[in-house]
Amino acid sequence: MRIVYCIPALYNSGGMERVLTLKANYLVDQGYDLHIITTDQRGRKPFFNLDDRVQLYNLDINHEEQNGQGLWLKLRDYPLKRYRHEKRLKALLMRLRADVVVSMFGEEAFFLTKIQDGSRKVLEYHFSKLKRLQYGRRGLWRWVDLWRTRKDAEAVKGYDRFVVLTEEDRALWGELPNICVIPNPLPFEPQEQADTTSCRIIAAGRYDYQKNFEALLDIWAMIHKDFPAWRLDIYGDGPMRSLLEERLKGLGLGESLTLHPPTREIMREYLSSSIYVMTSRYEGLPMVLLEAQALGLPIVSYTCPCGPRDIVADGVNGYLVPEGREEEFAARLRLLMADEQLRRDMGRAAHEASSRYRMQTVMPQWLELFEALVRISKN
């Protein structure tokens, strides 16, 4: 069976790129013929190790060039980029003649179903339906986000299957006949667990509006003087790095908090930590929480849509805090930092809860979906 995935790029260190790499490597091992089409790779290597049997193509559209542009510049440039994207993707798909084509909700999500290449079409969504409305933009941009949210809702209806990551997000989309839930799989089979004795807290993600690391810095400023032996390490990169660095200096946190670049050895960093924290404004199903949980770390997270409620059982394997309640977040962190036995108990519960996200549980759901779609085509 030939499977084609469409994604903007693979050079980022984000969860979506990691999940696709993980699934592609698994599928080629199962004998599937895997192809990945990008629009914005620009000659850069995939961040995560991708099996050499996976075929890569870049359409050289470069939608990311529009990031940071004003609305009118985007409106001016988008039609030509859209035309090139549709034309080049159609030509490639007509040549590849895949059995199934999967969009990870790049720009092709809005026209992929119009391409009559004989394949079944799947749309895979790694965020929440409310994603665009959570950018926090005002004025004309707010109306654009509302309009695009409506267009998203229209686009998903045309696919053979629309896959979301959580039951929480499924409920937001309503009663769609083609919707189903398949969570992200863990990128590893945990062989070790953190002993949760170190005085170290960890977070990871892109330095952008979504991840809301500025709130985490403020929360740490409330705590760090009372726990001088503890430190907070954040791994990532992105457009807000300089702003976070300035905020870090202004809060006088010294060496108690460090902003690190992304690392391919994130498992090692989890294992040398005792608590995982997340202050995101929105998610899909955050891989960082799945990974931290599997390695036995208790979690403190905002209850953003979507993901944390599916992963964390409040008071059992971590704590859930309503968004924006920084003092409550700090209080939960204090409890864990002060009580090693509590960390150990919650970490053990976290590891046990991770079994439903393991590869041998999740990937058979994808195999069943692909096989069912191909049977429909043959009939």
Side-chain angles (χ1 to χ4, degrees):
M1 186 187 300
R2 176 167 289 178
I3 309 293
V4 172
Y5 280 90
C6 299
I7 188 173
L10 284 172
Y11 69 88
N12 286 316
S13 60
M16 188 167 69
E17 293 81 8
R18 189 170 195 181
V19 168
L20 177 53
T21 302
L22 177 69
K23 290 193 293 190
N25 291 346
Y26 177 93
L27 290 167
V28 292
D29 277 340
Q30 298 296 312
Y32 286 74
D33 182 15
L34 256 291
H35 302 253
I36 298 177
I37 301 173
T38 59
T39 58
D40 290 70
Q41 194 69 17
R42 295 188 183 183
R44 292 167 287 196
K45 293 182 179 180
F47 185 87
F48 300 104
N49 293 325
L50 188 66
D51 194 296
D52 290 338
R53 290 172 291 179
V54 179
Q55 299 297 307
L56 297 178
Y57 312 83
N58 185 53
L59 300 179
D60 196 28
I61 308 300
N62 303 321
H63 289 293
E64 292 179 356
E65 287 179 337
Q66 294 179 301
N67 292 347
Q69 288 184 346
L71 177 59
W72 301 117
L73 287 175
K74 288 190 174 186
L75 291 174
R76 182 198 69 186
D77 295 343
Y78 179 75
L80 180 57
K81 288 182 179 292
R82 164 70 180 262
Y83 171 77
R84 289 173 176 167
H85 190 175
E86 190 166 353
K87 181 179 179 181
R88 293 174 189 178
L89 181 59
K90 180 179 179 179
L92 181 54
L93 291 181
M94 295 300 288
R95 177 163 63 87
L96 291 176
R97 293 292 179 179
D99 295 289
V100 179
V101 178
V102 184
S103 167
M104 300 186 76
F105 226 111
E107 292 296 330
E108 75 284 337
F110 302 98
F111 61 78
L112 181 60
T113 56
K114 299 176 184 177
I115 298 177
Q116 303 300 311
D117 61 322
S119 68
R120 310 302 289 189
K121 304 299 194 302
V122 176
L123 187 60
E124 184 177 339
Y125 201 55
H126 282 252
F127 302 96
S128 157
K129 182 187 179 182
L130 304 177
K131 169 193 171 183
R132 300 188 193 280
L133 303 181
Q134 292 163 327
Y135 290 154
R137 300 195 287 194
R138 299 177 182 275
L140 185 57
W141 275 115
R142 177 68 176 177
W143 288 103
V144 171
D145 291 336
L146 287 166
W147 178 78
R148 295 198 69 185
T149 299
R150 287 195 293 270
K151 297 298 288 185
D152 291 347
E154 293 172 8
V156 304
K157 296 176 182 178
Y159 283 81
D160 295 295
R161 291 291 185 276
F162 173 43
V163 182
V164 297
L165 301 178
T166 66
E167 292 294 341
E168 181 182 359
D169 196 39
R170 179 177 188 164
L172 292 174
W173 290 96
E175 296 297 326
L176 296 175
N178 62 341
I179 196 170
C180 63
V181 178
I182 304 179
N184 285 333
L186 279 165
F188 50 78
E189 186 66 30
Q191 303 298 320
E192 300 178 73
Q193 292 184 62
D195 64 17
T196 64
T197 60
S198 69
C199 296
R200 186 184 192 227
I201 300 169
I202 186 174
R206 185 167 168 78
Y207 296 159
D208 61 10
Y209 174 84
Q210 175 194 353
K211 301 302 181 182
N212 195 23
F213 282 128
E214 61 270 27
L216 185 54
L217 267 60
D218 292 342
I219 291 166
W220 187 244
M222 302 176 190
I223 299 174
H224 78 104
K225 290 183 180 178
D226 297 329
F227 295 87
W230 282 75
R231 60 178 296 156
L232 170 59
D233 290 309
I234 305 176
Y235 290 85
D237 204 355
M240 292 185 64
R241 168 177 277 280
S242 59
L243 293 176
L244 291 174
E245 289 173 342
E246 288 300 314
R247 196 182 195 101
L248 180 59
K249 293 177 183 177
L251 290 170
L253 300 178
E255 296 182 357
S256 71
L257 191 154
T258 304
L259 299 174
H260 299 272
T263 175
R264 291 181 174 83
E265 303 297 328
I266 191 65
M267 187 185 304
R268 183 177 62 194
E269 306 303 335
Y270 290 134
L271 289 170
S272 63
S273 304
S274 290
I275 304 168
Y276 191 89
V277 289
M278 193 182 82
T279 50
S280 293
R281 291 183 167 95
Y282 58 89
E283 289 285 348
L285 183 68
M287 284 298 295
V288 288
L289 294 194
L290 298 184
E291 294 166 354
Q293 176 180 254
L295 294 172
L297 289 181
I299 293 165
V300 182
S301 173
Y302 275 159
T303 55
C304 69
C306 293
R309 290 181 181 89
D310 281 50
I311 299 169
V312 181
D314 188 39
V316 178
N317 58 354
Y319 292 115
L320 293 172
V321 179
E323 294 172 71
R325 296 189 186 176
E326 293 184 355
E327 292 186 359
E328 184 175 341
F329 198 109
R332 296 303 192 190
L333 262 182
R334 288 175 184 273
L335 287 176
L336 282 169
M337 293 165 72
D339 191 335
E340 184 177 316
Q341 186 60 49
L342 178 63
R343 298 197 301 273
R344 188 177 296 114
D345 291 343
M346 283 192 166
R348 188 180 303 113
H351 175 72
E352 292 171 357
S354 70
S355 61
R356 57 190 167 136
Y357 298 108
R358 291 179 182 171
M359 185 76 76
Q360 63 267 33
T361 302
V362 173
M363 288 309 296
Q365 299 175 57
W366 277 107
L367 300 185
E368 183 179 348
L369 184 151
F370 291 150
E371 296 291 346
L373 289 177
V374 170
R375 284 197 300 271
I376 293 172
S377 295
K378 290 180 178 178
N379 292 336

